[in-house]
């Protein structure tokens, strides 16, 4: 069950986050005629979010990164980790967006739109096939890998960001919207089954993540209560920045707790309670700074 259902679905999550984030950003950029202020606002907001949770999880970060006790060299290492690696657990996604989105935006300014995906795709291929290349070609990968796995950093997010960029094109959006939602779900199911048995997994992952976006985009949801969707948006951010660091705490305090259903339930409850507390308290006098949490 884990190999054929849980892991394939789990593997779609972070790439899908990249595509959705890039789609929303580049859709806004297109509406604003590529106003640089939109990029600055996106970058500034993301950096503040990242800094906020880096401070929150600093006790765990200090335990996980002993180099922070090495003075100026440790601080420089931490700055590199912030942008090109991660600070707290799972934060590589935030760093990858901070670095990757401006790169794809830059590519869109110097290349024809239909060509933007090529360089990110070549990076994707390189990351997964670098061991088959001559030793000299492996130097960039080994250099980056000396301090952080490049697949879990901005190089690993570039293709997904580029896909989000292309999907934000108005003509593509209209084309997707004209296709019945059910077709996407059926195609996604076939893709997941094929992907789960290991047939061209690297390429089928691209197909499945893209199909999942299309299926979600064309899914007709009720529009009466928009506040519900705003709350879910806040949950999605807060659950992400809380879950992976929190689950280290029970495992650290209790040696008999490991990854499994019990830790999953505990983490889920804590994420929900923490999210509710932050959302409700951000408008309370003296707690407005909580707006930076999501």
């Amino acid at each position: 069950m884990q190999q054929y259902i849980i892991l394939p679905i789990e593997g779609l999550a972070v790439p899908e986050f990249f595509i959705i984030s890039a789609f929303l950003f580049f859709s806004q950029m297109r509406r604003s005629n590529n106003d640089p202020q939109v990029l600055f606002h996106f970058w500034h907001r993301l950096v503040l979010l990242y800094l906020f949770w880096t401070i929150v999880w600093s006790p765990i970060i200090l335990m996980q990164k002993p180099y922070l006790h090495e003075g100026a060299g440790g601080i420089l290492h931490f700055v590199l980790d912030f942008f090109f690696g991660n600070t707290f657990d799972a934060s590589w996604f935030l760093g990858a967006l901070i670095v990757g989105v401006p790169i794809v935006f830059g590519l869109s300014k110097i290349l024809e739109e239909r060509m933007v995906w090529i360089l990110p795709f070549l990076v994707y291929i390189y990351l997964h096939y670098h061991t088959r290349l001559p030793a000299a070609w492996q130097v960039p990968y080994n250099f980056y890998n000396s301090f952080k796995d490049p697949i879990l950093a901005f190089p690993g997010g570039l293709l997904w960001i580029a896909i989000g960029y292309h999907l934000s094109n108005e003509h593509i959006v209209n084309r997707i919207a004209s296709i019945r939602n059910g077709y996407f779900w059926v195609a996604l199911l076939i893709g997941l089954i094929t992907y789960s048995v290991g047939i061209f997994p690297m390429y089928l992952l691209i197909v499945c993540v893209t199909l999942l976006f299309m299926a979600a985009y064309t899914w007709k949801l009720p529009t009466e209560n928009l506040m519900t969707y705003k709350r879910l948006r806040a949950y999605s951010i807060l659950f992400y920045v809380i879950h992976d660091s929190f689950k280290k705490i029970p495992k650290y305090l209790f040696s008999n707790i490991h990854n499994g259903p019990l830790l999953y339930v505990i983490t889920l409850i804590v994420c929900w309670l923490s999210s509710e507390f932050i959302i409700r308290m951000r408008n309370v006098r003296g707690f407005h700074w909580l707006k930076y949490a999501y």
Side-chain angles (χ1 to χ4, degrees):
M1 179 177 177
Q2 184 175 14
Q3 178 182 350
Y4 295 108
I5 299 178
I6 297 176
L7 290 179
I9 294 175
E10 185 182 80
L12 303 183
V14 175
E16 198 65 45
F17 292 159
F18 274 116
I19 288 181
I20 293 171
S21 299
F23 173 84
L24 294 174
F25 167 75
F26 285 111
S27 294
Q28 189 175 0
M29 284 296 291
R30 293 177 191 275
R31 289 193 298 269
S32 68
N33 293 317
N34 290 327
D35 183 355
Q37 284 298 317
V38 175
L39 176 60
F40 176 78
H41 176 74
F42 171 85
W43 200 85
H44 180 255
R45 183 176 177 276
L46 205 55
V47 168
L48 288 178
L49 172 70
Y50 195 1
L51 281 173
F52 181 95
W53 286 101
T54 295
I55 294 170
V56 169
W57 295 121
S58 57
I60 293 177
I61 293 171
L62 287 168
M63 288 190 297
Q64 292 180 328
K65 299 184 182 294
Y67 65 73
L68 285 171
H69 305 284
E70 298 174 1
I75 294 173
L76 176 60
H77 193 164
F78 186 74
V79 172
L80 290 174
D81 261 355
F82 187 91
F83 291 102
F84 304 110
N86 70 307
T87 57
F88 59 91
D89 293 288
S91 66
W92 74 272
F93 168 73
L94 301 175
L97 279 178
I98 290 170
V99 177
V101 166
I103 289 175
V104 173
F105 176 69
L107 290 174
S108 74
K109 301 296 287 184
I110 62 177
L111 298 174
E112 292 183 30
E113 180 163 342
R114 59 193 177 90
M115 307 292 285
V116 169
W117 66 275
I118 295 177
L119 180 59
F121 180 72
L122 291 176
V123 172
Y124 180 81
I125 296 296
Y126 174 75
L127 292 177
H128 289 84
Y129 285 111
H130 68 278
T131 56
R132 303 185 185 184
L133 299 173
W137 288 62
Q138 298 181 37
V139 171
Y141 182 94
N142 293 333
F143 171 76
Y144 206 115
N145 195 49
S146 65
F147 70 94
K148 181 63 183 177
D149 181 355
I151 293 178
L152 300 179
F154 86 88
L158 280 179
L159 178 62
W160 312 118
I161 295 171
I163 292 173
Y165 165 77
H166 285 289
L167 289 172
S168 69
N169 181 289
E170 184 179 2
H171 298 295
I172 295 177
V173 168
N174 292 336
R175 179 58 180 161
I176 293 171
S178 69
I179 300 173
R180 289 183 60 180
N181 175 255
Y183 293 151
F184 291 123
W185 289 114
V186 171
L188 175 60
L189 179 60
I190 295 171
L192 280 173
I193 292 172
T194 310
Y195 172 62
S196 67
V197 297
I199 300 176
F200 304 117
M202 195 179 74
Y203 303 104
L204 272 174
L205 177 62
I206 300 172
V207 173
C208 289
V209 172
T210 305
L211 283 171
L212 178 58
F213 173 87
M214 294 176 176
Y217 185 82
T218 55
W219 192 7
K220 304 300 182 183
L221 294 171
T223 58
E224 292 80 14
N225 190 0
L226 294 179
M227 292 303 296
T228 300
Y229 301 123
K230 289 182 178 180
R231 179 62 65 94
L232 290 173
R233 175 183 175 275
Y235 278 162
S236 69
I237 297 172
L238 290 166
F239 274 49
Y240 186 84
V241 294
I242 292 171
H243 81 283
D244 211 24
S245 288
F246 167 77
K247 73 179 185 181
K248 300 289 190 303
I249 298 174
K251 290 196 287 188
Y252 178 76
L253 295 176
F254 307 101
S255 59
N256 60 330
I257 292 184
H258 306 284
N259 288 340
L262 176 60
L263 183 59
Y264 175 84
V265 172
I266 293 173
T267 302
L268 190 63
I269 292 172
V270 169
C271 285
W272 178 72
L273 291 175
S274 301
S275 299
E276 278 295 313
F277 175 83
I278 291 169
I279 293 169
R280 292 173 185 269
M281 292 298 292
R282 67 161 288 180
N283 294 320
V284 176
R285 184 177 179 181
F287 288 89
H288 295 307
W289 49 271
L290 286 173
K291 66 182 180 181
Y292 299 115
Y294 63 96

